Amino acid sequence: MEFQHVNVKVLLDHASAVDLEPLIPVFHNWIQSQSRDELLLDVADYRHVRAGPGVVLIGLEGNYSVDNAGNRLGVRYNRKAPLGGSNLDRLQQAARAALGACREFECDPRLSGQLRFDGRKVEISVNDRLLAPNRAETRDALEPDLSAFLQKLFARGEYSLAFNEDPRSLFSVAVESAKSYSAGSLLRNLASQT
Amino acid sequence: MKVSNGLWKEQLAGKMPEGLAREIDIFEAEINLRKLGKLEERVFAEKRLRRGVYGQRYDNGQRHDGAKVQEMPYPRRNLTKGPNTLWDAPGMQRIKIPGGGLNASQLETLAELAEEYSDGIAHITTRQDVQLHYVHIEDTPALMRRLAAAHITTREACGNSVRNVTTCPYAGVCPDEVFDVTPYCMALSKFLLGHPDTQNFGRKFKPAFSGCSQHACALANMHDLGLIAVTRTEDGKEARGFATFVGGGLGAVPYQAKLLEPFVPPEEVLPLSQAIARVYARLGEKKNRSRARIKFLIHDLGIEKFRELVLEERKQLEFDPRWKEYVADAESYHEEPLKPGRKLDRSGSEAFRRWLETNVRQQRQEGYAVATVTLPLGDITASQLRSLADVVRRFTKETVRTTVEQNFVIRWVSEDDLPELYEALEAAGLGAPGAGTIVDVVACPGTDTCKLGISSSRGLAAELRKQLIEKSYQMEEAVKNLHIKISGCFNSCGQHHVADLGFYGVSRKIGGYSLPHFQVVLGGEWANNADHYGLAVAAVPSRNIPEVVTRLTGFYAANRKNGEPFREFFRRIGKAEVKKLLEDLARPPADEAGRAAFKDWGDPRDYTLGDMGVGECAGEVISSTDFDLAAAERQLFEAQIAWEDGEVEGAAKTAYQSMLSAAKALVVTECPEAPDDPDQIVREFRSRFYDSQKFFDPYAGGKFAQYLFSAHQKAGASYTVDSARYLIDEARLFIDASHNYSTRTAAMTAR
Ligand code: SF4
């Protein structure tokens, strides 16, 4: 089974009190400097929607956002364009994009350290119901790639999985690591050769 | 672009209605032909528009990023979806929802599509449609197939066609309605969709049905074709019919619809509409888009002549059995509740009571209520759509509709279930109170995604909503019940003409800076099917609009007499008084730093028009053009006052003068010794600005210049109350266009 359009969302700390307005100029600057490897196009502001997509940086190949879906604030990368390689490659690409964005937010003085990775929680979904319907077969098919990916991400540390059971939802899983990490250390784990 | 696109056809084979499936196959083939260069871009553009596939801001590949205009390096820069519209640039998909009616599984389909092809948001429009933004053209066939499998079409959602047929969301349950217009709305929608007589219009054609004439739910008076339920006694029995209006419309210059026939029996609705369509297709303007709506044809012919032509056409029509078939069961049409209707006998929490007060109406049927789901700015997330589907399954037989106020209504809720329904909505983030009040601000997409947007209507709406919610607890009832509607430009998609407080985006250049403004339009009427349109009072910088609202509502609360509605209050006080009240707000900050802070709402970039750079010459010297345009503004203001005072001829003459002044303001930039003679001003203006197309609006073309030419041609002719009002509106638009031209040229010079 080929999984495309992977989404990774890294959850943020102390999320309820975060004001997303300062994020808007940050995203505009990203467009200005075209600071990612993808074409960045526009900013969509959905702060007015409860438990919504928050502020979204629309790209051609993928969107970046700080979204509050499920009332869980997190940095999301939503891969839109098809990507070559294996499922593992695509999981890693989306995770690198989300974590990389998160790390930039952590360091951006305009955001005053308000957007910080909570250290443990990551959500993964596949944004295509035909390629990845939310049922047991998809879970079984993705299991080897998912565990290889999570082993690498958490450097073989322990983690727990909670799959979304609503058949109408995208295939999605919430992952919680037993140990706390920084966004930077997860990025390093992904970059390591082992 | 989805990897699964090619798989949906097979996946959904047999699940889509055959006709829809075939149309989508054809559209997919057209996409492929265009990619191969075998379909001309203009032809392809109209083809995709007729499938609801619309352009979106920056799809010409240029975007001002706050510092400079960026050329967006899309992968296929040589492939276009239409003139100046790059293939890979995301676009908008409009989805037609006749009468706004949906069921639970359709809500779930919309949720899937919003999530997989858009940015997770479905947007409800002011015409009961659904829009998805940031969609790639190559995803659209798969998206359409999934809609078709849910029995939804995007056909003729845009383009020069019959658009979504709208109706009151309370049809069938409203205590005040004459009868349920839903089945007639569905019949007309089905009959006109793809009808050969509706394929050759010069512009779009928007029909609407209303169940009564006194409420505003369907806004029949502002539609190309408005049908209002009426009855009469025939042979001692009550017979159904429709008062049929034609030629209404908002747009740049709003027109009230004219009565075509006071009583059209149900079996005549379809043939009469067909006859109207045929006359419009035959005689309507085709070349000049700005005069191609049916309202101009009716205005030019006069309603009597138009009626004569339509009735003649009706006589010639070949009989079509669908005329009767489609409405045969209309009288027995009804929806059913899921549960017995029981009165509410619990008071519930304070939050519930607040919601109950604004978001719930009793139905005509005892024990049942309609609950409004307030959507901020018309936006709903994919997961909220699924929750809404759960709610409507749990409490009703899936009776849910979109509204022209960009909300949903859930019908047939047993009153006794309201507390649980509220809890379920609240848990999904859908339990906000304030439906139909001042906090329920309506806004078009504006500069967020619309190519024509001048100011950020959604940014302003979000800000007003935030501020008004905070104040709503201490607000007077009269203020609470006001309506605010915002359009990003003169095209009026936000329906600002029919709001108590309406705003539409304009730009002004001050001291070398372009600043986003909104024209304040006051006293439009929402009731009586939008019977009166508001009057423009002043252009105010966007940043000051929240204060405009505070001042106007405070002034109204303090000075209204005996329960006077806002519209009457505004008429009594007069425009001059209101203008005085807002005078200081209309002035942007005098210093450069202050002006630089006057960015648009929700957009930290420096403001530009057409995404050109901001003028560097921020000197304090006001150009002579600005002075002359200010003089034109003053004349126009005088024209409006004269019109309000009933001096129709004087108003028309002054409005025409104001256009001449604005034209001359531009002519002198090229020819300092410009003459004062009207003929010469118009001649010079035509040759320098119109023939050269310099004055052309990027999207409206020469439309505004033509207002000047037509006013000049009619100079000295007599005017009626209506035609003087149109002239004033046209003068307003011509002067706004002159400001825009001046702003554009300044930005280009700076570049
Ligand atoms: S009113 Fe103007 S800005 Fe708003 S959607 Fe219509 S055309 Fe676009």
Side-chain angles (χ1 to χ4, degrees):
Chain A
M1 237 177 189
E2 178 180 304
F3 296 103
Q4 292 278 357
H5 316 301
V6 174
N7 273 226
V8 170
K9 175 172 167 181
V10 296
L11 298 200
L12 296 170
D13 221 359
H14 301 115
S16 56
V18 174
D19 172 14
L20 293 184
E21 185 163 8
L23 184 64
I24 297 173
V26 172
F27 274 160
H28 277 287
N29 282 161
W30 284 22
I31 299 176
Q32 208 171 64
S33 55
Q34 289 293 336
S35 61
R36 331 260 356 132
D37 292 340
E38 303 158 16
L39 179 56
L40 305 177
L41 302 173
D42 202 4
V43 182
D45 179 2
Y46 293 117
R47 285 174 296 148
H48 51 276
V49 180
R50 272 156 76 180
V55 178
V56 189
L57 172 56
I58 307 285
L60 181 71
E61 293 89 350
N63 292 351
Y64 292 82
S65 59
V66 174
D67 102 335
N68 197 25
N71 284 310
R72 297 181 302 276
L73 196 74
V75 179
R76 177 192 290 276
Y77 175 75
N78 168 12
R79 179 73 195 187
K80 300 195 289 189
L83 201 63
S86 64
N87 288 339
L88 182 59
D89 294 334
R90 287 184 282 271
L91 284 162
Q92 295 195 91
Q93 185 272 343
R96 270 197 304 272
L99 288 162
C102 183
R103 205 168 54 162
E104 285 206 30
F105 297 149
E106 289 176 343
C107 303
D108 195 314
R110 289 169 293 183
L111 299 172
S112 323
Q114 282 206 80
L115 302 182
R116 302 202 73 79
F117 177 41
D118 87 340
R120 294 176 197 272
K121 294 190 201 106
V122 177
E123 292 176 5
I124 298 162
S125 54
V126 182
N127 193 7
D128 192 311
R129 285 176 174 79
L130 197 53
L131 298 182
N134 193 16
R135 25 181 212 245
E137 302 91 88
T138 308
R139 193 187 296 185
D140 295 345
L142 188 60
E143 205 281 324
D145 292 320
L146 187 63
S147 54
F149 165 69
L150 293 171
Q151 292 284 327
K152 186 159 187 179
L153 183 70
F154 298 127
R156 308 198 179 284
E158 280 182 30
Y159 58 83
S160 60
L161 300 178
F163 288 90
N164 183 331
E165 301 292 342
D166 183 349
R168 299 175 304 175
S169 292
L170 293 172
F171 172 77
S172 48
V173 55
V175 187
E176 182 160 0
S177 134
K179 201 178 131 196
S180 180
Y181 296 88
S182 68
S185 62
L186 292 184
L187 278 167
R188 279 192 297 281
N189 291 347
L190 287 175
S192 79
Q193 295 306 309
T194 53
Chain B
M1 212 184 329
K2 292 288 182 198
V3 169
S4 59
N5 280 344
L7 307 174
W8 279 107
K9 184 173 173 182
E10 198 188 316
Q11 180 77 15
L12 297 174
K15 294 187 182 141
M16 297 176 277
E18 221 172 274
L20 284 186
R22 230 185 78 71
E23 287 169 12
I24 300 166
D25 288 348
I26 292 171
F27 180 57
E28 192 169 45
E30 286 162 354
I31 288 182
N32 291 329
L33 284 175
R34 177 69 201 136
K35 280 165 79 178
L36 293 169
K38 293 188 174 163
L39 195 57
E40 206 266 315
E41 64 173 7
R42 278 173 199 279
V43 179
F44 180 72
E46 182 59 22
K47 297 257 183 209
R48 71 172 160 78
L49 286 170
R50 287 189 189 212
R51 303 237 63 97
V53 180
Y54 216 75
Q56 209 175 293
R57 206 167 178 89
Y58 316 126
D59 63 9
N60 59 357
Q62 292 196 341
R63 181 180 182 277
H64 193 267
D65 65 11
K68 61 184 181 311
V69 175
Q70 260 193 22
E71 291 286 335
M72 310 304 269
Y74 284 107
R76 291 171 278 190
R77 279 199 72 89
N78 293 328
L79 183 58
T80 59
K81 298 186 267 193
N84 282 322
T85 313
L86 297 181
W87 191 259
D88 288 307
M92 180 268 276
Q93 176 69 58
R94 187 175 293 148
I95 300 164
K96 260 178 154 176
I97 312 292
L102 288 161
N103 59 34
S105 59
Q106 289 173 328
L107 291 171
E108 287 165 345
T109 300
L110 290 168
E112 291 183 1
L113 305 183
E115 208 160 43
E116 290 181 47
Y117 302 107
S118 175
D119 56 3
I121 289 283
H123 175 75
I124 309 300
T125 75
T126 53
R127 294 206 71 259
Q128 297 182 299
D129 295 299
V130 173
Q131 282 180 191
L132 303 177
H133 293 99
Y134 302 108
V135 177
H136 195 284
I137 178 106
E138 290 183 38
D139 287 340
T140 56
L143 184 157
M144 288 171 193
R145 288 190 173 108
R146 294 171 76 174
L147 285 171
H151 296 265
I152 299 176
T153 182
T154 64
R155 182 168 188 188
E156 293 166 6
C158 308
N160 300 332
S161 54
V162 178
R163 301 295 185 82
N164 198 31
V165 183
T166 57
T167 188
C168 317
Y170 305 104
V173 298
C174 173
D176 298 333
E177 75 183 358
V178 178
F179 57 82
D180 184 357
V181 294
T182 311
Y184 306 99
C185 164
M186 295 304 163
L188 186 68
S189 186
K190 190 166 145 192
F191 180 67
L192 294 182
L193 184 74
H195 195 289
D197 289 339
T198 65
Q199 303 304 304
N200 192 25
F201 295 160
R203 283 299 307 277
K204 56 192 168 186
F205 184 83
K206 297 176 175 176
F209 280 86
S210 273
C212 72
S213 57
Q214 71 272 33
H215 295 306
C217 317
L219 308 171
N221 277 329
M222 46 167 257
H223 279 80
D224 297 294
L225 173 61
L227 296 124
I228 298 180
V230 287
T231 52
R232 71 180 178 197
T233 307
E234 285 173 2
D235 302 329
K237 278 202 239 142
E238 189 180 78
R240 289 180 172 193
F242 291 91
T244 302
F245 292 81
V246 284
L250 294 182
V253 179
Y255 280 58
Q256 284 289 345
K258 303 258 185 271
L259 182 65
L260 182 77
E261 285 291 310
F263 189 92
V264 175
E267 62 281 6
E268 268 303 300
V269 167
L270 305 190
L272 189 74
S273 304
Q274 186 183 348
I276 293 168
R278 285 173 69 95
V279 171
Y280 175 44
R282 195 172 71 238
L283 301 178
E285 173 65 47
K286 296 278 170 21
K287 287 204 186 89
N288 178 359
R289 280 179 66 78
S290 61
R291 292 201 59 87
R293 292 289 292 270
I294 198 170
K295 63 186 179 184
F296 295 107
L297 176 67
I298 294 167
H299 180 69
D300 294 347
L301 290 173
I303 186 69
E304 291 76 19
K305 180 72 188 164
F306 183 76
R307 183 181 298 119
E308 192 186 310
L309 290 166
V310 167
L311 296 180
E312 189 51 40
E313 191 72 39
R314 167 65 190 95
K315 273 193 226 145
Q316 310 295 324
L317 286 182
E318 207 174 296
F319 176 74
D320 184 334
R322 294 176 302 170
W323 294 340
K324 284 197 174 137
E325 254 168 46
Y326 282 10
V327 294
D329 298 328
E331 297 215 11
S332 56
Y333 171 88
H334 66 284
E335 286 175 344
E336 282 182 0
L338 181 68
K339 301 183 178 187
R342 289 211 186 90
K343 285 273 165 219
L344 176 66
D345 58 7
R346 298 167 282 166
S347 60
S349 66
E350 201 193 316
F352 168 69
R353 287 197 303 275
R354 251 199 326 267
W355 174 81
L356 189 70
E357 197 182 309
T358 52
N359 289 43
V360 174
R361 302 189 173 192
Q362 284 186 333
Q363 289 191 187
R364 172 156 61 84
Q365 297 84 358
E366 190 156 334
Y368 292 100
V370 180
T372 300
V373 180
T374 328
L375 304 181
L377 277 55
D379 290 344
I380 184 165
T381 69
S383 82
Q384 286 174 331
L385 279 166
R386 280 191 285 273
S387 301
L388 184 60
D390 293 338
V391 168
V392 301
R393 277 195 187 106
R394 181 174 155 202
F395 295 101
T396 69
K397 278 204 170 160
E398 307 183 25
T399 38
V400 63
R401 294 189 189 186
T402 58
T403 78
V404 297
E405 287 181 288
Q406 303 179 298
N407 293 323
F408 277 107
V409 289
I410 306 173
R411 304 142 54 91
W412 292 102
V413 180
S414 172
E415 288 179 16
D416 188 42
D417 278 341
L418 285 167
E420 286 74 27
L421 178 110
Y422 168 71
E423 265 171 39
L425 289 175
E426 182 57 16
L430 292 170
T437 70
I438 194 165
V439 304
D440 196 6
V441 179
V442 166
C444 75
T447 48
D448 276 15
T449 51
C450 174
K451 297 211 256 191
L452 314 185
I454 292 176
S455 307
S456 175
S457 42
R458 278 168 61 86
L460 174 62
E463 183 61 28
L464 285 178
R465 213 180 146 264
K466 195 170 82 190
Q467 294 193 14
L468 290 166
I469 285 173
E470 278 164 21
K471 293 179 193 161
S472 63
Y473 297 109
Q474 308 105 284
M475 250 178 217
E476 281 205 27
E477 209 52 33
V479 171
K480 244 187 214 171
N481 292 330
L482 297 178
H483 286 94
I484 297 182
K485 292 176 187 285
I486 310 171
S487 304
C489 78
F490 49 80
N491 279 312
S492 319
C493 305
Q495 301 173 342
H496 60 265
H497 295 292
V498 292
D500 298 295
L501 289 91
F503 304 98
Y504 75 88
V506 290
S507 75
R508 292 288 184 271
K509 187 165 66 67
I510 289 125
Y513 266 92
S514 306
L515 294 183
H517 280 56
F518 279 93
Q519 191 64 248
V520 180
V521 179
L522 298 180
E525 188 169 21
W526 176 247
N528 298 318
N529 274 301
D531 206 23
H532 286 93
Y533 296 148
L535 283 177
V537 172
V540 175
S542 303
R543 283 274 147 185
N544 285 343
I545 296 293
E547 179 57 23
V548 167
V549 173
T550 306
R551 251 186 230 181
L552 285 173
T553 51
F555 189 59
Y556 171 55
N559 296 295
R560 79 190 195 114
K561 285 186 183 159
N562 316 322
E564 204 174 23
F566 186 81
R567 181 173 166 264
E568 282 165 30
F569 169 77
F570 172 61
R571 300 264 159 191
R572 176 169 63 80
I573 293 295
K575 192 170 155 166
E577 189 65 25
V578 173
K579 192 165 168 126
K580 221 186 293 162
L581 185 73
L582 305 180
E583 211 155 32
D584 59 317
L585 297 176
R587 276 194 304 270
D591 62 306
E592 194 178 322
R595 280 196 302 265
F598 262 49
K599 301 194 188 321
D600 216 340
W601 289 107
D603 192 340
R605 291 173 294 168
D606 277 349
Y607 175 77
T608 67
L609 240 200
D611 274 78
M612 291 169 190
V614 173
E616 286 167 358
C617 89
E620 293 305 313
V621 185
I622 297 176
S623 73
S624 60
T625 316
D626 294 333
F627 266 125
D628 294 345
L629 287 176
E633 290 274 7
R634 197 185 51 249
Q635 285 172 314
L636 179 61
F637 182 67
E638 286 162 7
Q640 281 164 327
I641 297 290
W643 187 82
E644 275 175 42
D645 292 344
E647 295 166 25
V648 172
E649 292 299 340
K653 200 166 155 203
T654 317
Y656 164 58
Q657 282 300 337
S658 74
M659 292 168 108
L660 284 177
S661 301
K664 189 175 169 197
L666 301 192
V667 170
V668 290
T669 60
E670 297 198 351
C671 163
E673 300 303 315
D676 274 329
D677 172 57
D679 285 339
Q680 278 177 289
I681 293 173
V682 172
R683 199 176 317 125
E684 289 290 342
F685 179 85
R686 187 189 283 277
S687 70
R688 290 169 189 278
F689 295 94
Y690 183 78
D691 295 344
S692 64
Q693 303 200 352
K694 277 194 292 195
F695 186 75
F696 277 32
D697 181 273
Y699 299 99
K703 168 176 174 161
F704 303 122
Q706 281 155 6
Y707 291 157
L708 169 73
F709 304 148
S710 119
H712 181 60
Q713 207 174 19
K714 285 193 218 141
S718 65
Y719 278 82
T720 62
V721 174
D722 271 359
S723 58
R725 164 71 200 264
Y726 299 148
L727 181 67
I728 289 170
D729 285 341
E730 291 177 351
R732 160 88 277 135
L733 293 160
F734 179 72
I735 294 169
D736 281 344
S738 305
H739 280 293
N740 290 349
Y741 169 79
S742 164
T743 308
R744 278 200 309 270
T745 13
M748 267 190 304
T749 313
R751 277 170 82 195

